[in-house]
């Protein structure tokens, strides 16, 4: 209500300011020539001043004066326009005022009702303390994340804890952190390709729904280990759609739907995708038949998977993940356990020198750290075959 | 509620602009005093409501009201207050509000201080301003609405691009826009004059102060922008000829030409048609600069594809504004009466040459900026037009320009005495020889262009001083008399002298910093030293610190020369976790004759750091010179001839009415 009163007051103020000069009879205006002559008179005066101060020679002054006087004559020729300039049409004023007074409020309110959101109050940050503390962000999940992080600091090799942490991060919509946690988990559990699919999904979420190259690789890994894995198939189809091949994507989704059990939880989303994409392409969703089993050649996702099958590629994938971990640690180097994990990963990849370097970073941080940390580093050092530098 | 008030204020401003753009124009045409009288209050109302909207948006930013989409996308609760405020214009929608605020401010200024303008001219000028405002308010409300709301409101925002979280960038858009939009006044005056079918010396005087304001602001805006690029991007350079920079530079070149040709129109009633055309071109370049280049319509085909309405709207507006005004010009300009005659060698002649050189320079920049963008947009592939193109085309145009700048002010109007001017410039020629030989002796390895550049700067600076002392008749009539003359010189004369001297300083800075920059890139471990142009940089290591919404890695350099410590430099790298982005903060120590400039980069995996160290001779002169130029403009603006009032008879009438 207050809002509407204020808006009405603003409108009334605008009208008052606008209509005042219309309803007040204005003074008769000067002719255009009078304004011109004022300027020229000033120019003449300027010449006199310059002459007086010796800034201008007498001859130049005469020439300049003649020129300005010529302009004055030309301007004065236009004096006759005066009558035209100052014409007054009394009757029009009231009509104009009435039209404006009716049209402006009407137009402004109609436009505002279409564009505005009068029902929404302002929500300054400071007034939303309560909301913040109730949100998903807090406190249960938040506490759980803190606990898990603390636990993982003590036991960095607890795979289940890493997975739980990743899931909590997903709940908090902190997808980047979730991807990081999955990456740790995958590096720990070298033999569990089922994690690639959730890792890929977290990457997609972290990139605002874009299936990046890295995510594609992850889904390829997932399919290599478990052909037909629905999550990976779904996202690889999405990747096709984003790459500008909606037709191929549509076929892949239809195939996935045909392979899914009738009570699969992802079917509603899938159907929605199929419907939307078909509509976009101007096709009837029902008219698209799944690729028959018998003639099914290698599907795009199978090919993507096949590309990934070789052990070298698997090593490449792991290497790229290790590099990301290394990059993160460069940015946030105050993480001894991260360095330890990096050292272990390098050891697995058969790069003892790099492993040694990472271990030294961890040891360097531990040097000023609590005794428990020091002990853990020593323990890890023994496993890796490194001594703690003194 | 406050965001909704802002939203409604924008709508009211649209209606005010609509009235301002139509009725006074029609009123002036059919000589209806009542309709013409609507222009002034409408301009005032438009300004008041856009200011209201601007303040409402700022309130949303300062209080982090995340129910406003624009705030969600460009702010964060943890951001320092300064960047919450600058976040208002650090994005497309908000910058449009600032753009409109300044446009309506100029309109309001004409309404308030335009009492000395003939009523029809004033009504038409304001109407054209109103039409521009209408176009952009429609654009804002329908395609780029800053007051779009979100429900439910997110708990926090996405933060402003960290590169923009910097004092240099916080303040330069307002100046830049004052410049861009300021030229809309020259445009409106030009269109009004074309409609009126009448351009005379008086018109040239009325338009001049507005052009001056715009020119000064744009000069400062460009200088601030390049200063930001210099210390924030961390590459030791200050101008990269990228489209955003060129977008501000083109209107500056055209505006400088306009400023000079308007002088001819005012003093000699000549070059009127050309001045009108320049006014149209300058504002067109401002529009193209703001909307075609900065908005990313052309730079990224993808943004255009994602939001075709926005791009099409911009193109439509540009076509109406630029195309329409050029058509009007083509129809009306031939009917304009030619003014005073002049010989080729004269003040006018030299200003024509100045205009030709400036506009050719603007055209080369235009070509180099838009050609790759257009080619890319129509699918013709990617070409890169880089600094070599601009150096090869721009420098040869500026050399004669600067030679001319020392000579032209000594030529008289109508018919100049070239031989006399050269005689007076003997001292400047001597300075050129001394500087060239001195530079050659100090930097025998050249490059020749740099020797030439410094000599030109010396030529211009000395030439400008000689011209000024000539006006004072210094050393010819005794000190007391000279001082008396100095006190009576018009401010515009001072303005020219100061601005030209500023250019000389800028030229020296540009030349020396591009020719003799020393750059050293290396990995340094704590304790290691590097010598850069005679200075010893000792790297003392890095430490980690916490900023308000970022983390800091700060390196420390001890700089000494000949064993004596000079300064400690603290270059930083900042990491902004919300956007996951990194920025560099160069550390700069200036001696005013050179900058010592240090940047730290990645660690090499151990305790070493990639470091980039620069010695940039005379680089501060570029910005000092630019500020001097803007000061020259401001002094010229204070000239008494800009304060000529309304016709005396009216004042007499008003006095008698009161009596």
């Amino acid at each position: 209500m207050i809002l509407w009163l204020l808006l009405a007051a603003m409108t009334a103020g605008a009208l008052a300011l606008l209509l005042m000069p219309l309803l007040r009879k204005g003074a008769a205006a000067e002719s255009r020539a009078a304004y011109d002559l004022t300027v020229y008179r000033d120019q003449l005066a300027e010449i006199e001043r310059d002459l007086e101060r010796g800034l201008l020679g007498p001859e130049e002054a005469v020439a300049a004066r003649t020129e300005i006087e010529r302009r004055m004559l030309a301007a004065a020729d236009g004096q006759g326009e005066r009558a035209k300039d100052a014409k007054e049409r009394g009757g029009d004023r009231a009509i104009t005022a009435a039209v404006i007074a009716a049209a402006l409020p009407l137009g402004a309110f109609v436009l505002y009702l279409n564009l505005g959101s009068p029902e929404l109050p302002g929500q300054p940050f400071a007034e939303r303390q309560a909301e913040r503390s109730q949100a998903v962000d807090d406190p249960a999940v938040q506490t759980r994340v803190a606990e898990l992080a603390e636990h993982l600091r003590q036991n960095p090799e607890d795979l289940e804890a890493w997975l739980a942490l990743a899931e909590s991060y997903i709940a908090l919509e902190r997808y980047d952190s979730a991807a990081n946690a999955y990456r740790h988990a995958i590096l720990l559990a070298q033999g569990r390709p089922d994690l690639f699919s959730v890792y890929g999904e977290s990457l997609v979420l972290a990139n605002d729904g874009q299936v990046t190259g890295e995510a594609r690789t992850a889904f390829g890994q997932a399919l290599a280990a478990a052909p037909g894995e629905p999550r990976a198939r779904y996202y690889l189809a999405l990747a096709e759609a984003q790459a500008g091949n909606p037709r191929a994507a549509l076929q892949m989704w239809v195939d996935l739907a045909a392979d899914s059990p009738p009570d699969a939880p992802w079917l509603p989303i899938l159907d929605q995708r199929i419907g939307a994409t078909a509509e976009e392409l101007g096709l009837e969703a029902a008219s698209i038949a799944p690729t028959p089993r018998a003639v099914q050649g290698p599907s795009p996702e199978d090919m993507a998977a096949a590309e990934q099958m070789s052990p070298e590629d698997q090593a490449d994938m792991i290497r790229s993940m290790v590099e990301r971990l290394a990059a993160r640690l460069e940015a946030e180097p105050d993480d001894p356990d991260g360095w330890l994990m990096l050292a272990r990963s390098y050891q697995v990849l058969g790069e003892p020198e790099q492993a040694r370097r990472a271990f030294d970073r961890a040891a360097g941080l531990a040097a000023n750290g609590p005794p428990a940390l020091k002990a853990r580093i020593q323990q890890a050092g023994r496993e890796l075959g490194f001594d703690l530098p003194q | 509620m406050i965001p909704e008030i802002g939203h409604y204020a924008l709508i009211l401003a649209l209606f005010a602009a609509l009235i301002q753009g139509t009725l006074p124009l029609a009123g002036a045409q059919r000589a209806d005093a009542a309709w013409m009288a609507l222009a002034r209050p409408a301009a005032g109302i438009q300004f008041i409501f856009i200011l209201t909207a601007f303040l409402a948006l700022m309130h949303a930013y300062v209080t982090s009201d995340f129910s406003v989409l624009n705030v969600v996308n460009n702010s964060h609760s943890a951001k320092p207050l300064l960047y919450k405020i600058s976040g208002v214009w650090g994005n497309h929608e908000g910058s449009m509000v600032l753009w409109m605020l300044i446009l309506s401010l100029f309109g309001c200024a004409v309404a308030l201080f335009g009492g000395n303008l003939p009523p029809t001219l004033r009504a038409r000028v304001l109407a054209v301003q109103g039409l521009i405002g209408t176009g952009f308010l429609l654009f804002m409300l329908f395609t780029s609405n800053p007051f779009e709301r979100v429900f439910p409101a997110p708990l926090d925002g996405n933060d402003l691009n960290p590169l923009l979280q910097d004092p240099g960038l916080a303040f330069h858009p307002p100046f830049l826009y004052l410049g861009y939009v300021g030229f809309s006044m020259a445009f409106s005056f030009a269109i009004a004059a074309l409609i009126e079918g009448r351009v005379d010396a008086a018109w040239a005087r009325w338009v001049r102060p507005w052009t001056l304001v715009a020119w000064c602001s744009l000069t400062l805006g460009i200088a601030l922008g390049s200063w930001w690029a210099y210390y924030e991007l961390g590459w030791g350079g200050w101008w990269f000829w990228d489209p955003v920079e060129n977008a501000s530079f083109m209107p500056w070149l055209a505006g400088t030409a306009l400023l000079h040709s308007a002088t001819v129109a005012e003093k000699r009633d000549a070059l009127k048609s050309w001045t009108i055309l320049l006014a149209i071109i300058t504002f067109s370049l401002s529009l193209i600069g703001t909307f075609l280049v900065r908005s990313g319509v052309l730079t990224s085909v993808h943004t255009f594809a994602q939001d075709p309405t926005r791009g099409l709207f911009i193109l439509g507006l540009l076509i109406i504004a630029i195309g329409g005004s050029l058509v009007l010009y083509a129809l009306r300009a031939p009917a304009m009466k030619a003014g005073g005659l002049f010989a080729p060698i004269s003040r006018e002649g030299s200003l024509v040459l100045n205009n030709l050189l400036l506009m050719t320079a603007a055209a080369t920049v235009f070509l180099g900026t838009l050609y790759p963008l257009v080619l890319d947009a129509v699918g013709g592939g990617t070409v890169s037009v880089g600094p070599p193109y601009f150096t090869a085309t721009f420098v040869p145009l500026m050399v004669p320009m600067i030679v001319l700048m020392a000579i032209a002010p000594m030529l008289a109007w109508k018919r100049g005495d070239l031989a006399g001017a050269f005689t007076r410039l003997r001292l400047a020629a001597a300075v050129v020889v001394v500087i060239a030989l001195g530079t050659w002796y100090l930097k025998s390895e050249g490059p020749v262009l740099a020797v030439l550049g410094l000599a030109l700067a010396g030529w211009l600076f000395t030439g400008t001083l000689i011209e000024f002392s000539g006006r004072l008749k210094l050393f010819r009539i005794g000190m007391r008399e000279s001082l008396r003359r100095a006190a009576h010189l018009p401010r515009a004369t001072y303005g020219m002298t100061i601005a030209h001297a500023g250019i000389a300083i800028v030229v020296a800075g540009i030349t020396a910093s591009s020719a003799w920059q020393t750059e050293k890139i290396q990995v340094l471990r704590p304790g290691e030293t590097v010598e850069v142009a005679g200075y010893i940089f000792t790297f003392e290591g890095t430490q980690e610190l916490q900023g308000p919404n970022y983390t800091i890695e700060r390196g420390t350099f001890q700089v000494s020369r000949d064993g004596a410590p000079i300064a400690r430099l603290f270059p930083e790298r900042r990491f902004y976790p919300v956007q996951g982005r990194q920025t560099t903060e160069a550390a700069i120590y200036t001696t005013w004759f050179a900058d010592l400039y240090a940047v730290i980069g990645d660690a090499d995996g151990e305790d070493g750091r990639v470091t980039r160290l620069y010695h940039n001779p005379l680089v501060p002169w570029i910005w000092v010179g630019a500020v001097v130029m803007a000061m020259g403009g401001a002094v010229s603006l204070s000239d008494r001839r800009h304060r000529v009032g309304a016709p005396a008879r009216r004042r007499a009438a008003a006095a008698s009415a009161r009596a």
Side-chain angles (χ1 to χ4, degrees), chain B residues 115-405:
Chain B
N116 60 342
L117 299 176
T120 49
L121 181 68
R122 188 179 58 212
R124 285 180 167 126
V125 167
L126 284 174
V128 177
Q129 284 270 312
L131 287 175
I132 301 173
T134 308
F136 285 106
L137 282 167
L138 283 173
F139 175 66
M140 271 164 78
L141 284 169
F142 290 104
T143 73
S144 322
N145 197 324
F147 292 108
E148 204 156 306
R149 307 290 297 273
V150 261
F151 183 83
L155 283 170
D156 218 323
N158 301 337
D159 213 349
L160 177 70
N161 181 347
L163 274 181
L164 307 183
Q165 296 190 30
D166 174 276
L169 213 65
F171 295 119
H172 104 275
F175 279 108
L176 216 50
Y177 283 17
L178 264 178
Y180 279 148
V181 182
F183 285 124
S184 74
M185 286 314 306
F187 176 82
S188 298
F189 270 90
I191 299 299
L194 283 175
I195 297 175
E196 203 139 285
R198 177 160 180 174
V199 186
D200 48 28
W203 175 88
R205 172 171 295 193
W206 289 321
V207 71
R208 184 175 179 79
W210 305 104
T211 318
L212 265 175
V213 170
W215 183 85
C216 292
S217 312
L218 192 56
T219 306
L220 284 179
I222 295 177
L224 273 174
S226 84
W227 185 50
W228 168 81
Y230 175 64
Y231 72 76
E232 178 73 19
L233 298 184
W235 288 103
W238 45 270
W239 189 264
F240 301 91
W241 292 107
D242 80 23
V244 175
E245 288 168 326
N246 294 348
S248 60
F249 195 43
M250 290 184 287
W252 187 86
L253 288 169
T256 311
L258 171 64
L259 213 49
H260 288 88
S261 80
T263 318
V264 181
E266 179 187 343
K267 297 272 188 200
R268 295 278 298 126
D269 208 21
L271 294 188
K272 293 185 294 191
S273 169
W274 170 244
T275 305
I276 296 268
L277 181 62
L278 273 182
I280 294 176
I281 290 178
T282 305
F283 184 56
S284 303
L285 287 173
S286 299
L287 283 180
I288 290 176
T290 334
F291 298 108
L292 224 48
V293 181
R294 284 184 86 91
S295 72
V297 168
L298 276 183
T299 37
S300 160
V301 189
H302 300 291
T303 49
F304 183 77
Q306 274 168 17
D307 191 356
T309 37
R310 193 179 271 186
L312 286 175
F313 211 123
I314 289 176
L315 285 181
L317 277 180
L318 289 183
I319 289 168
I320 294 172
I322 300 175
S325 56
L326 288 177
V327 167
L328 186 65
Y329 176 78
L331 290 177
R332 287 303 188 98
M336 259 176 236
K337 272 180 258 167
L341 302 173
F342 54 86
I345 295 177
S346 61
R347 183 81 70 87
E348 296 93 319
S350 62
L351 286 172
V352 169
L353 193 53
N354 142 307
N355 271 222
L356 278 178
L357 290 169
L358 280 172
M359 290 314 288
T360 314
T364 54
V365 177
F366 185 79
L367 199 64
T369 311
L370 283 208
Y371 175 70
L373 299 184
V374 172
L375 195 67
D376 189 33
V378 300
T382 317
V383 290
S384 167
V385 177
Y389 163 83
F390 292 104
T391 316
T393 53
F394 197 75
V395 173
L397 286 168
M398 286 302 112
V399 170
M401 174 87 204
I402 288 164
V403 173
L404 184 69
M405 270 173 76

Side-chain angles (χ1 to χ4, degrees), chain A residues 169-225:
Chain A
Y169 277 136
I170 297 266
L172 289 176
E173 300 181 3
R174 288 171 59 185
Y175 303 121
D176 260 334
S177 309
N180 266 330
Y182 278 128
R183 199 173 296 129
H184 278 266
I186 290 176
L187 288 175
L188 274 176
Q190 302 268 334
R192 279 190 55 185
D194 58 308
L195 294 179
F196 281 112
S197 172
V198 277
Y199 167 61
E201 183 171 45
S202 66
L203 285 174
V204 173
L205 291 171
N207 286 291
D208 295 326
Q210 286 294 315
V211 185
T212 57
E214 201 179 354
R216 271 186 94 117
T217 318
F219 294 127
Q221 289 279 353
L223 283 180

Side-chain angles (χ1 to χ4, degrees), chain A residues 64-379:
Chain A
R65 216 180 279 136
T66 322
E67 201 168 287
I68 294 170
E69 279 160 4
R70 209 175 295 141
R71 280 179 220 158
M72 294 176 91
L73 282 177
D77 264 355
Q79 279 283 28
E81 291 169 31
R82 182 186 171 124
K84 203 179 93 195
D85 279 346
K87 208 185 289 172
E88 183 57 58
R89 304 177 181 218
D92 280 4
R93 286 185 175 240
I95 301 172
T96 311
V99 170
I100 292 179
L104 189 139
L106 189 70
F109 272 95
V110 167
L111 195 55
Y112 177 71
L113 287 178
N114 273 300
L115 295 175
S117 318
E119 72 287 356
L120 285 188
Q123 304 190 341
F125 190 75
E127 292 172 15
R128 301 174 68 195
Q129 191 55 51
E131 200 184 333
R132 262 200 303 286
S133 53
Q134 280 170 16
V136 212
D137 271 23
D138 287 63
V141 189
Q142 208 71 281
T143 326
R144 174 124 182 86
V145 165
E147 283 168 9
L148 280 170
E150 183 52 38
H151 171 77
L152 282 167
R153 213 158 288 144
Q154 305 298 330
N155 312 290
E157 292 181 51
D158 183 343
L159 178 61
E160 289 310 316
W162 279 113
L163 292 177
L165 182 65
E167 278 154 23
S168 305
Y169 277 136
I170 297 266
L172 289 176
E173 300 181 3
R174 288 171 59 185
Y175 303 121
D176 260 334
S177 309
N180 266 330
Y182 278 128
R183 199 173 296 129
H184 278 266
I186 290 176
L187 288 175
L188 274 176
Q190 302 268 334
R192 279 190 55 185
D194 58 308
L195 294 179
F196 281 112
S197 172
V198 277
Y199 167 61
E201 183 171 45
S202 66
L203 285 174
V204 173
L205 291 171
N207 286 291
D208 295 326
Q210 286 294 315
V211 185
T212 57
E214 201 179 354
R216 271 186 94 117
T217 318
F219 294 127
Q221 289 279 353
L223 283 180
E229 204 277 325
R231 198 189 301 262
R233 286 176 68 183
Y234 172 81
Y235 280 110
L236 282 171
L238 183 62
E240 282 297 319
Q242 286 169 356
N245 307 319
R247 188 67 187 81
L250 183 60
Q251 190 63 55
M252 287 159 80
W253 277 321
V254 170
D255 291 350
L256 175 57
D259 294 348
S260 303
D263 57 346
W266 58 82
L267 270 180
I269 292 184
L270 196 54
D271 286 339
Q272 202 185 337
R273 275 281 182 198
I274 292 173
T277 315
E279 195 183 304
E280 216 170 274
L281 290 165
L283 298 171
E284 194 64 45
S287 74
I288 297 148
T291 319
R293 277 275 141 208
V295 296
Q296 216 168 22
S299 71
E301 61 261 39
D302 290 340
M303 291 199 310
E307 281 168 28
Q308 303 297 331
M309 292 254 215
S310 70
E312 295 86 49
D313 286 349
Q314 181 118 8
D316 277 352
M317 169 89 184
I318 291 183
R319 177 169 302 279
S320 87
M321 294 173 60
V322 169
E323 273 160 14
R324 279 184 62 137
L325 176 62
R328 179 179 71 75
L329 286 170
E330 289 301 338
E332 307 159 21
D334 197 14
D335 178 3
D337 292 305
W339 288 111
L340 272 187
M341 166 150 308
L342 188 63
R344 287 200 188 90
S345 306
Y346 276 132
Q347 200 77 326
V348 170
L349 289 171
E351 290 187 21
E353 277 175 29
Q354 293 274 34
R356 173 83 229 196
R357 210 168 289 158
F359 179 72
D360 287 349
R361 290 292 290 256
L365 288 167
N368 306 321
L373 178 63
K374 227 177 240 172
R376 226 160 57 239
I377 301 270
Q378 255 159 354
Q379 166 72 22

